Amino acid sequence: MHALQGLSADRDRLAAGVRVPWLLLAGFGAVAAWWVGAAAGTSPGENYEPSAIGGLVLAIVVVIIYLIQRETGVRFRSMGLQAGLALVGIVVGCLVLFSISLGLVSFGLHWAVILTSITAFALTTWLASVAYRSAVQKLRRA
């Protein structure tokens, strides 16, 4: 019984010592802003061709995930429901913001894509921090 209490205390101490890697989480936000902002370089409508940066964005996201795992030791394979919902929120939010950006570009408001890009940065950074904290809480309870 004492050994189990010791393990629980060790787990709590480890989870408390994990710092939120804000720079890397902001990297997720920057990638989202870049992807949403790529709509400014398109011409929506009949001749629309999607941007070719999708593969590069995915590669950068994988590198950021690797760096977070290497720096903190937190694995994202079993993050919990809250983190999963946050990730869904990131994807849906970025798709909505990209669509809004395309609409702005179609009206000739290329400059306004800056606003959707800033929103994508803030939303993604915040939701990535929610997902990260959820993963740390899961570590604490594991």
Side-chain angles (χ1 to χ4, degrees):
M1 181 71 161
H2 182 64
L4 289 176
Q5 289 174 342
L7 286 174
S8 179
D10 287 345
R11 208 177 271 122
D12 286 340
R13 201 170 37 255
L14 280 171
V18 173
R19 304 244 184 254
V20 177
W22 285 108
L23 186 61
L24 293 171
L25 296 180
F28 284 131
V31 169
W34 178 39
W35 184 71
V36 169
T42 63
S43 56
E46 204 172 300
N47 299 325
Y48 174 72
E49 291 186 30
S51 178
I53 66 168
L56 184 57
V57 165
L58 184 59
I60 292 171
V61 166
V62 169
V63 168
I64 293 172
I65 289 171
Y66 168 76
L67 291 173
I68 288 173
Q69 289 178 352
R70 191 183 74 170
E71 182 178 316
T72 64
V74 174
R75 302 262 183 232
F76 291 100
R77 289 190 181 140
S78 59
M79 297 183 296
L81 179 62
Q82 184 180 11
L85 292 174
L87 292 179
V88 168
I90 289 171
V91 171
V92 169
C94 286
L95 287 173
V96 167
L97 289 168
F98 186 77
S99 297
I100 291 169
S101 296
L102 288 175
L104 292 169
V105 169
S106 73
F107 289 119
L109 300 171
H110 294 266
W111 63 269
V113 174
I114 292 171
L115 301 174
T116 55
S117 295
I118 291 170
T119 304
F121 174 82
L123 177 71
T124 302
T125 302
W126 174 66
L127 287 175
S129 72
V130 168
Y132 181 80
R133 285 190 219 123
S134 175
V136 169
Q137 287 300 326
K138 185 99 170 158
L139 172 71
R140 185 176 300 211
R141 287 176 275 170

